Amino acid sequence: MTASFNLLDEPWIRVARLDGTPAEVSLLDLFRDAESIEGIHGEIASQDMAILRLLLAICHRAMDGPKDLDAWEEYWDKPGMLGTDAAAYLERFRDRFDLRDPEQPFFQVAGIHSASGKISGLESLIVDVPNGNPFFTTRIAEGLDSITWAEAARWLVHVHAYDPSGIRSGAVGDPQVKNGKGYPIGPGWTGQIGAVAVTGKNLERTLLLNTVVCKETEGLHEVNSEFDLAPWEQDPNGPAGASALEPTGPVSCYTWQTRRVLLHGEDNSVTGLFLGNGDKATPQNRFPVEPMTAWRFSEPQTKKLKAPVYMPRKLPTDRAFWRGLSSLIAQLSPSLRVKGAGEVTRFMPPGVVDFYQGLMMYEIIPLSGLIPLHATGIEYGAKEAVVSELVDDSLVLPAKLLDPKETRLLAVVRDAMEQTEQVAGALRNLAANLDRASGGSPDTATAARERASTAFYQVIDEEFPRWLASLAEIDPTAGREQWRALLRSEAWRQQDLLASAAPNAAFAGRGEGTGRMDVSRALVFFRAALNKIIPPPESNDAPSDEAERTVA
């Protein structure tokens, strides 16, 4: 009897149900029960995103595009319809979802091998964060000898999406192999972007909200769903990858075959794999086909290609998700003047956010309430050959922020972001001046500035998202005053902490004349800067002793 592990029937996707109960489900069970599932919760966040994108590819194909908003809205208005159509679609390709099929195994290449016949250990499949320190410490030694086929399926989807760059095994039959090795072609496509998803009240809603109607989504108008096919709808891949293959739309992006893989194992477990290079993915100007990332204007790439170029905006590891708001909302993106191209926008929002905005404008979904966004990314290390950090963040937006007519609200949020950055700069300068007053060097001043910024944002990164969500219920003018009061209060608190930590030598100071710096002078400069950024309140209830504050 031929061994089989069909992803349609076998439980392999880890989820949480709406009541919080964890479960492991098959593809058919997932779509059937999507209304009662909260979301995907596997080993790590990047695995969840990789599987979500696989599910979205299935949705696009099962919904036949969807071709227009009317078709999409029918699914939205009829809970369970998506599950029914997805199951029918999957059954048409049942044989292609068998992980162990001898001729066309799912997301693999049958019979692929290296000239030496050697296979890689499971550490090549299971991501380490950071490199050299296994993310799953329980896998040390025996923990990496074998895994179940269900877990291998999850990591197989992940490896195509996020596998780092670097030298890979050379496949027999791949003309690009040299001396038995496949040389670097870059990381998986999803690893090259900062993936953003809209989160619904259950998994069915999440899937629908992220299954965009291309012709109704900015930048995706030219996608032809008849040609945007998934790997299981095409002939199986051979051992050779493609260096110039072009993605045709969201489906091809979500299922991009970055690697050539073949899992090796026994009846109940996977013990190793062949892992070689597959189809190279390039990031320049892929916004017409990739809806799940923001895009940034690239001046170096524009100069190189002599035409405007946008690159995926990866998620920074040192900045919270909210600080990238200007890349999520078109109305908040600044404009740039570019020689030969005129005025261009600095950022383009993710297609999934643009699509949500369109659903609001057509009154398919409410213009009020909150929009939860979830962002996932991987930061690679040297030569993109190792994983150095995983980014997993969320943000809840007031839906009104996507309404271009809400000019007051947009102005309040833009001002709040700018003022917050300016206060952070004033605190960094205060820290550097206090370091200078105590006889520090340029290196110690730089370190002091960084510590002050980190301490400030540790608080603000908690407060800003809460304040932003509150704007769904309160008047923008009241919201503006609330944020200014909080920001000013936190600035004073951080000032006191910095000054209290200054050594006695800083009170005596350093330098002469206009070049002198001591604690008193540093505080005067800081207070002047703060008052310029956020003028003190003029009400009778406002504190009157700010100019006389002293440090205990």
Side-chain angles (χ1 to χ4, degrees):
M1 183 176 178
T2 304
S4 174
F5 191 93
N6 198 299
L7 303 184
L8 270 58
D9 308 313
E10 300 287 349
W12 66 281
I13 303 174
R14 287 185 171 179
V15 300
R17 300 194 183 276
L18 290 176
D19 62 4
T21 306
E24 205 162 293
V25 297
S26 68
L27 274 172
L28 291 177
D29 286 341
L30 180 143
F31 279 104
R32 185 185 66 230
D33 299 339
E35 292 176 80
S36 65
I37 294 173
E38 179 270 326
I40 305 163
H41 295 281
E43 278 80 0
I44 58 174
S46 55
Q47 186 188 90
D48 300 345
M49 181 59 74
I51 292 174
L52 174 64
R53 284 165 65 87
L54 171 67
L55 299 177
L56 291 173
I58 294 170
C59 290
H60 276 285
R61 299 304 295 152
M63 295 168 68
D64 194 25
K67 294 189 183 302
D68 53 41
L69 279 176
D70 288 340
W72 185 94
E73 190 174 8
E74 187 176 3
Y75 285 94
W76 186 257
D77 291 340
K78 295 180 180 178
M81 181 178 173
L82 174 63
T84 300
D85 285 2
Y89 167 78
L90 289 168
E91 288 291 356
R92 288 168 48 202
F93 300 96
R94 167 172 283 278
D95 292 347
R96 297 297 299 272
F97 283 85
D98 192 338
L99 212 57
R100 304 184 68 183
D101 188 280
E103 296 180 0
Q104 45 190 19
F106 178 79
F107 268 32
Q108 300 166 82
V109 178
I112 194 169
H113 62 282
S114 65
S116 67
K118 291 182 179 179
I119 63 173
S120 300
L122 293 175
E123 65 276 2
S124 298
L125 183 67
I126 300 170
V127 72
D128 289 346
V129 183
N131 188 55
N133 295 291
F135 192 85
F136 306 104
T137 55
T138 57
R139 295 189 188 277
I140 297 296
E142 295 180 4
L144 277 172
D145 286 346
S146 66
I147 56 177
T148 65
W149 284 94
E151 185 180 358
R154 297 192 291 272
W155 287 117
L156 175 64
V157 176
H158 186 275
V159 83
H160 281 292
Y162 287 104
D163 192 46
S165 188
I167 295 175
R168 295 288 176 264
S169 298
V172 173
D174 182 356
Q176 299 180 73
V177 168
K178 297 178 182 178
N179 300 320
K181 297 177 180 179
Y183 287 88
I185 63 168
W189 170 243
T190 314
Q192 298 184 44
I193 69 175
V196 177
V198 180
T199 304
K201 68 178 183 180
N202 57 38
L203 182 58
E204 183 187 60
R205 287 305 206 218
T206 296
L207 292 173
L208 287 171
L209 289 171
N210 292 283
T211 304
V212 304
V213 178
C214 291
K215 72 176 186 177
E216 297 292 343
T217 305
E218 188 68 31
L220 291 163
H221 299 169
E222 302 303 317
V223 172
N224 186 335
S225 60
E226 293 182 9
F227 298 103
D228 188 25
L229 304 178
W232 53 83
E233 297 177 295
Q234 305 175 59
D235 292 337
N237 284 320
S243 60
L245 190 65
E246 293 288 321
T248 52
V251 174
S252 64
C253 287
Y254 298 165
T255 57
W256 193 260
Q257 301 290 281
T258 309
R259 299 291 179 252
R260 296 292 186 259
V261 188
L262 183 62
L263 300 174
H264 289 263
E266 303 164 349
D267 287 344
N268 299 316
S269 62
V270 174
T271 54
L273 71 156
F274 174 91
L275 180 64
N277 285 330
D279 303 329
K280 182 177 181 178
T282 54
Q284 293 87 349
N285 283 344
R286 294 302 185 198
F287 57 86
V289 291
E290 172 57 73
M292 294 186 75
T293 187
W295 300 84
R296 60 176 178 82
F297 178 79
S298 172
E299 189 171 348
Q301 290 288 327
T302 296
K303 288 180 178 178
K304 179 180 178 181
L305 299 179
K306 295 180 173 54
V309 174
Y310 283 85
M311 301 285 283
R313 182 183 182 271
K314 295 202 67 175
L315 301 170
T317 58
D318 60 345
R319 294 166 68 92
F321 189 28
W322 72 265
R323 294 175 70 185
L325 259 179
S326 57
S327 68
L328 298 174
I329 299 168
Q331 293 84 357
L332 293 178
S333 175
S335 296
L336 301 171
R337 295 289 302 178
V338 178
K339 186 177 179 180
E343 190 172 42
V344 299
T345 183
R346 184 178 178 187
F347 298 111
M348 290 192 294
V352 291
V353 175
D354 181 85
F355 179 59
Y356 194 101
Q357 184 180 38
L359 294 175
M360 289 170 50
M361 296 301 102
Y362 285 107
E363 299 183 352
I364 296 173
I365 57 177
L367 281 160
S368 58
L370 297 169
I371 309 168
L373 299 179
H374 187 198
T376 307
I378 279 185
E379 179 73 17
Y380 298 101
K383 298 181 180 179
E384 298 186 304
V386 295
V387 171
S388 60
E389 197 162 343
L390 173 67
V391 180
D392 179 27
D393 206 347
S394 58
L395 183 66
V396 178
L397 300 180
K400 293 184 294 185
L401 202 55
L402 295 184
D403 185 351
K405 296 189 294 293
E406 290 283 349
T407 53
R408 277 203 310 149
L409 180 61
L410 287 162
V412 164
V413 172
R414 183 185 296 109
D415 289 348
M417 294 175 65
E418 291 176 356
Q419 288 170 344
T420 302
E421 294 288 349
Q422 289 168 359
V423 170
L427 285 165
R428 284 192 287 266
N429 290 339
L430 172 61
N433 283 337
L434 291 173
D435 179 80
R436 178 181 159 200
S438 61
S441 66
D443 287 342
T444 59
T446 298
R449 290 171 64 87
E450 184 62 32
R451 287 193 300 272
S453 181
T454 299
F456 174 66
Y457 277 113
Q458 279 180 342
V459 177
I460 296 301
D461 286 346
E462 295 281 340
E463 296 293 346
F464 192 95
R466 279 198 286 264
W467 171 78
L468 186 66
S470 75
L471 294 175
E473 303 293 337
I474 64 175
D475 179 77
T477 301
R480 180 190 61 195
E481 297 309 315
Q482 283 184 12
W483 184 249
R484 286 181 174 179
L486 186 149
L487 191 57
R488 190 172 179 85
S489 174
E490 184 57 30
W492 283 118
R493 193 180 76 86
Q494 295 290 336
Q495 175 217 246
D496 289 349
L497 291 172
L498 287 168
S500 296
N504 290 336
F507 288 86
R510 291 289 191 279
E512 299 293 338
T514 57
R516 178 172 176 74
M517 185 57 65
D518 55 34
V519 170
S520 177
R521 197 177 183 89
L523 294 178
V524 167
F525 289 161
F526 171 74
R527 290 166 184 170
L530 182 60
N531 287 336
K532 185 176 180 181
I533 299 165
I534 313 173
E538 298 178 357
S539 71
N540 294 331
D541 297 329
S544 59
D545 62 342
E546 287 183 348
E548 299 164 2
R549 290 169 70 108
T550 57
V551 179

